[in-house]
Every structure is written in structure tokens, then in C-alpha cells.
Amino acid sequence: MSDLLFLTVAFAPFLAPCVVLSAALALVLRVRKQRPVRVGRLPDVAASALVAVMAGAAAFGAYSWGVMSGFYILDPDQMCAARGAAGDHVVTRWTLPVSAQCVTSDGVGTELVPGWVNPVIFAGLALLLPALTTGALAAVRRHPFPR
């Protein structure tokens, strides 16, 4: 099971852009089919699902990129030396926000995770939750529960 989790995290940075682009293309084709665009109405379930897939894939891909850029790939000494952190150091890691820092004995930290990772994660999550909520509301409006 842990091997499958590792493979998922390892391949997500490469597969996530494909999923995002595929979902974006499907969303564009879906919107083009609907000629009169109705402003002020909730999107349908399929459009909400496509937006949720795009946002979730972007967030998970960025999270995986951040995790793989500072975690578990190399020895801490090798990671810090690759980023130019000289001297003795300790690697500090955070899961969310994703962070891996080489902290020297002087207290100077060098971040190993790229700066774009956390904004993409939080933007993806911020878009994912309203998309799921909108899709659920659209599904309930389309098929109301019997009373």
C-alpha cells in the first residue's frame, strides 16, 4: 500500500497537468455547446465536476511537486548541498504548508520547496470546495428528494 502511495505522489507532478488540460478542454467544449450563456445561474453538475477535477488535480500536483522537491529523495546533506547551504544544518519539514528548510547552526534557513507550490495548493483547494458545493446544489435542484 505504501508503494502505491509513493508512486502516486511521485507521478502526480507529471500527470496533473495532463488532467488539468483535459478537464479544461472538456469544459471549453461543454460551454461551447451551450449557446446562450446564462449569467447568474448555477452551472450544471458536469461543469462543476470538471472544475472540481481541475482544481483538485492542480492542488494535488503542486503538493506532490513540493513534497518530492524537499522530502525523501536525497539525504538531507545532499539536498542542502545541492541548494548551496554550507556548513552543518538540520532539515525542518512541514506538511501543510509544504516546506523543507535547511537550517544552519547560525539560524539561516534555505527553502527547498519552490515558492509557487503553496499558493497553487491553496488556490486549488479554494476552488475545489465551492465547485463541489455548487455541483451538489445543482444535483439537488435537478433531482429533489421525495418528501
Side-chain angles (χ1 to χ4, degrees), residues 2 11 13 18 24-25 47 53 59 61 68-69 87 99 106 138 145:
S2 64
F11 288 120
C18 298
L25 179 64
V53 166
M68 296 305 284
S69 66
S99 176
D106 299 335
F145 294 112

Side-chain angles (χ1 to χ4, degrees), residues 70 73-82 85 89-91 93 102 112:
I73 295 177
L74 300 171
D75 231 10
D77 295 330
Q78 293 172 337
M79 288 188 307
C80 296
H89 48 267
V90 175
V91 176
R93 295 182 171 112
C102 297
L112 300 174

Side-chain angles (χ1 to χ4, degrees), residues 2-145:
S2 64
D3 293 338
L4 180 62
L5 180 63
F6 175 76
L7 287 175
T8 302
V9 171
F11 288 120
F14 306 108
L15 296 177
C18 298
V19 171
V20 169
L21 290 175
S22 299
L25 179 64
L27 187 62
V28 166
L29 293 175
R30 182 168 184 76
V31 168
R32 284 189 62 188
K33 276 186 185 179
Q34 299 173 350
R35 286 292 170 205
V37 176
R38 299 177 186 150
V39 178
R41 298 195 73 199
L42 285 177
D44 60 346
V45 177
S48 297
L50 287 171
V51 171
V53 166
M54 285 184 349
F60 186 65
Y63 181 79
S64 297
W65 186 276
V67 166
M68 296 305 284
S69 66
F71 291 70
Y72 307 120
I73 295 177
L74 300 171
D75 231 10
D77 295 330
Q78 293 172 337
M79 288 188 307
C80 296
R83 290 293 176 116
D88 295 333
H89 48 267
V90 175
V91 176
T92 60
R93 295 182 171 112
W94 289 88
T95 304
L96 197 62
V98 181
S99 176
Q101 286 190 351
C102 297
V103 181
T104 63
S105 56
D106 299 335
V108 177
T110 302
E111 182 64 44
L112 300 174
V113 177
W116 59 268
V117 168
N118 287 314
V120 171
I121 292 170
F122 291 121
L125 292 176
L127 188 59
L128 176 67
L129 294 176
L132 291 176
T133 304
T134 303
L137 287 174
V140 168
R141 284 188 178 177
R142 185 171 181 183
H143 300 290
F145 294 112

